[in-house]
Amino acid sequence: MKPNFETMSKAELRAYAIAHQNDKEAFEALVDRLTAQSSSETYTASMSPEEIQSIVVEKLGKDFQENRIIPPNLQEAETLLASLFEEVKTWEGTLAGGTKLDVGGTAIDRLRQTQVCFGNPRDSLILLTEETFQEVGVELSHIVRQQMRDGYNFYYMTVSVDLRPQPGARFRQLCCELDFSPKGKNEPIVHAIFPKSQWRTVMNLETGMNLGLNENLDWSIGLDTSNTAVLQNIPGNLKANVASKSKLKALVAIPNYDYNAGRFDIVAQGEGNSTCYWYIQEPDLLKLTTVQFAIVFKVPQNIKSIGLRGTVWAEPSMNWLTAEIRDVFSELADRFQNLLRRKDEVASQFSRGDAEKWTLRLPQATANL
Amino acid sequence: MLPTSEQGLKCIYVCQALTNAYQPIYMVRLDERTGNLFILAGDNIEILIRRSGNWEFLS
């Protein structure tokens, strides 16, 4: 049965059209959607390849900057929530004539009790070598081996984030940003990150999966199924990198990768940079869970230790928050009223999160005699 | 309907520029209703090439 294209988001429709290349109807629905909004600028036919190149590069840089969300100051968010809590509690108390927490106070309290924190990335930091892959029967691709010989070490790392939401608190977005240092000539470069939106169809299958690294040091997934129908329904662009667990030709990075933070849009970027980030929109943060972010990065071989700064934060749903405190909204100080009226635009200022800085001592190859 | 030669040339240049910047190209297709050529690439790149060879980003 065909899905209803009308109700799909643009991202969903795009993913569907890509996964179903022969579906003309899906393609035309996507084209109509894309051309419905007027475009920014038309470039003329007479451009040289070099001019086109520089426009594309500029566009990519602009998208990267525009999509980048600045991490909030978590200390300020804490203070803001504390003072909002006091004010809501006071007004609700005055109205009810008691001290018991009312709807708004409870909501803010739940939000403040919600914890989001990093696990230790050192636990899973490993050096990736040709030998490690040979042991599992994988011959690294020429381009990867060449880079290893040209003086790069590749590393794998899992950064986990623990979410301890309080019942009732609602969130619109979970964001995680990792920034590697030093910058400049010895900069660590992110080679591959997981999860990414193109894996969504596979992650939504809800079967157990092993997250593995293949010969290109990119992701391959082993599924807990030998059901050929399931495997056949995987979109063409992913098919080559998905197999049943027993047939997976890859170094398993995370066995039994478990993702249950919601099945909505994941924006992930950073490959080729020293900063990477994930935005999981409308996360399903109802239960205690751990989200595992997987990263492969490379550094020049003379670098023995690197810095990593991580920021993770969950932005509350502002519709939920303002609805919970609507009874006392008009009593609140102007600064709160003005802020809350801006809704999701200011959601990050009410975030719960964690910011950490680590120095990572990089494991070195031992057989270097 | 076939693409025009202006579209063909522009399509090659644009695809080349995209792959130079390591952007995967997921789809290149002619909309048979209008004769416009579409390219879907990267995380969020959609390009339209008109029959004249004029082109634009759609996002």
Side-chain angles (χ1 to χ4, degrees):
Chain A
M1 199 189 76
K2 258 191 200 172
N4 183 353
F5 301 136
E6 298 288 311
T7 58
M8 285 184 170
S9 71
K10 190 207 112 188
E12 284 169 336
L13 184 53
R14 186 184 195 268
Y16 184 92
I18 289 172
H20 301 82
Q21 297 267 338
N22 293 323
D23 191 333
K24 203 168 151 189
E25 219 179 296
F27 170 71
E28 289 177 353
L30 176 65
V31 166
D32 292 344
R33 186 81 68 92
L34 290 172
T35 48
Q37 328 136 352
S38 62
S39 86
S40 42
E41 197 176 342
T42 303
Y43 304 104
T44 60
S46 59
M47 278 181 165
S48 71
E50 290 73 25
E51 286 172 299
I52 293 177
Q53 183 75 63
S54 65
I55 288 171
V56 166
V57 168
E58 193 189 320
K59 165 81 174 163
L60 288 170
K62 218 168 98 196
D63 282 358
F64 192 81
Q65 286 307 322
E66 274 172 8
N67 292 334
R68 194 165 173 271
I69 301 173
I70 311 295
N73 181 327
L74 294 168
Q75 199 62 50
E76 281 173 14
E78 186 90 51
T79 315
L80 184 67
L81 275 174
S83 45
L84 179 63
F85 177 70
E86 286 308 320
E87 205 162 311
V88 168
K89 193 175 74 171
T90 310
W91 285 110
E92 284 187 340
T94 314
L95 292 178
T99 50
K100 195 171 150 288
L101 280 188
D102 213 332
V103 193
T106 310
I108 302 170
D109 190 45
R110 294 244 161 96
L111 185 55
R112 291 176 73 201
Q113 299 297 328
T114 293
Q115 285 185 15
V116 181
C117 58
F118 277 115
N120 189 342
R122 292 187 191 95
D123 295 349
S124 62
L125 179 63
I126 54 166
L127 174 68
L128 302 171
T129 62
E130 285 188 65
E131 292 75 30
T132 339
F133 280 85
Q134 272 160 10
E135 278 166 27
V136 293
V138 176
E139 188 72 32
L140 288 177
S141 69
H142 177 73
I143 191 158
V144 169
R145 278 183 292 148
Q146 194 63 47
Q147 290 194 57
M148 287 178 168
R149 282 167 199 169
D150 284 351
Y152 278 103
N153 278 341
F154 284 81
Y155 293 90
Y156 170 79
M157 178 175 73
T158 312
V159 174
S160 60
V161 170
D162 285 321
L163 307 168
R164 288 157 209 218
Q166 290 297 303
R170 287 209 209 143
F171 294 87
R172 67 180 285 266
Q173 180 157 263
L174 176 73
C175 313
C176 177
E177 181 172 280
L178 299 175
D179 184 30
F180 291 89
S181 55
K183 301 293 181 192
K185 145 169 112 32
N186 290 327
E187 197 162 293
I189 300 290
V190 174
H191 177 80
I193 56 178
F194 193 91
K196 288 179 72 174
S197 56
Q198 63 253 48
W199 288 101
R200 199 162 44 167
T201 35
V202 177
M203 293 162 72
N204 285 351
L205 288 175
E206 290 185 344
T207 82
M209 59 189 237
N210 285 346
L211 178 65
L213 282 168
N214 61 25
E215 72 278 9
N216 297 316
L217 300 186
D218 205 345
W219 313 106
S220 280
I221 284 183
L223 292 177
D224 245 349
T225 176
S226 48
N227 184 337
T228 45
V230 170
L231 292 172
Q232 256 158 19
N233 275 327
I234 287 167
N237 54 329
L238 297 179
K239 217 172 235 169
N241 289 319
V242 179
S244 66
K245 270 187 185 174
S246 56
K247 292 211 178 107
L248 183 69
K249 289 271 270 174
L251 178 73
V252 174
I254 305 182
N256 303 317
Y257 186 89
D258 185 21
Y259 175 85
N260 49 19
R263 51 178 56 199
F264 293 92
D265 281 345
I266 301 173
V267 178
Q269 264 179 2
E271 285 158 4
N273 288 281
S274 60
T275 307
C276 58
Y277 51 83
W278 292 264
Y279 307 129
I280 301 174
Q281 274 140 33
E282 296 184 49
D284 184 11
L285 300 186
L286 296 172
K287 47 187 181 259
L288 183 114
T289 182
T290 300
V291 186
Q292 290 173 306
F293 297 103
I295 306 108
V296 174
F297 61 93
K298 63 178 182 187
V299 290
Q301 268 157 12
N302 58 327
I303 301 299
K304 309 294 181 212
S305 100
I306 57 167
L308 175 63
R309 198 172 45 78
T311 315
V312 61
W313 69 100
E315 300 180 359
S317 152
M318 296 306 281
N319 282 335
W320 163 76
L321 187 60
T322 46
E324 296 294 291
I325 59 177
R326 64 178 175 269
D327 290 350
V328 293
F329 187 84
S330 57
E331 314 289 345
L332 297 177
D334 285 348
R335 72 170 180 125
F336 284 125
Q337 291 198 23
N338 292 335
L339 201 56
L340 291 165
R341 278 198 191 100
R342 287 162 65 195
K343 293 275 170 104
D344 284 347
E345 195 191 323
V346 295
S348 77
Q349 296 184 35
F350 295 89
S351 296
R352 302 293 307 158
D354 186 18
E356 298 280 346
K357 255 187 188 163
W358 300 278
T359 302
L360 304 175
R361 197 184 298 270
L362 300 173
Q364 301 295 312
T366 44
N368 249 345
L369 296 173
Chain B
M1 190 187 282
L2 291 171
T4 65
S5 48
E6 285 78 12
Q7 277 177 310
L9 198 57
K10 195 52 45 77
C11 179
I12 291 174
Y13 291 160
V14 167
C15 287
Q16 184 182 327
L18 287 167
T19 55
N20 277 348
Y22 301 106
Q23 297 301 304
I25 295 170
Y26 295 114
M27 190 184 259
V28 177
R29 189 132 318 166
L30 193 71
D31 182 352
E32 291 182 358
R33 303 168 300 173
T34 57
N36 291 332
L37 193 74
F38 286 86
I39 301 173
L40 303 186
D43 283 329
N44 193 28
I45 297 188
E46 291 107 18
I47 291 169
L48 178 155
I49 306 176
R50 295 185 189 280
R51 291 189 79 70
S52 60
N54 286 354
W55 62 287
E56 60 203 79
F57 291 106
L58 292 174
S59 50

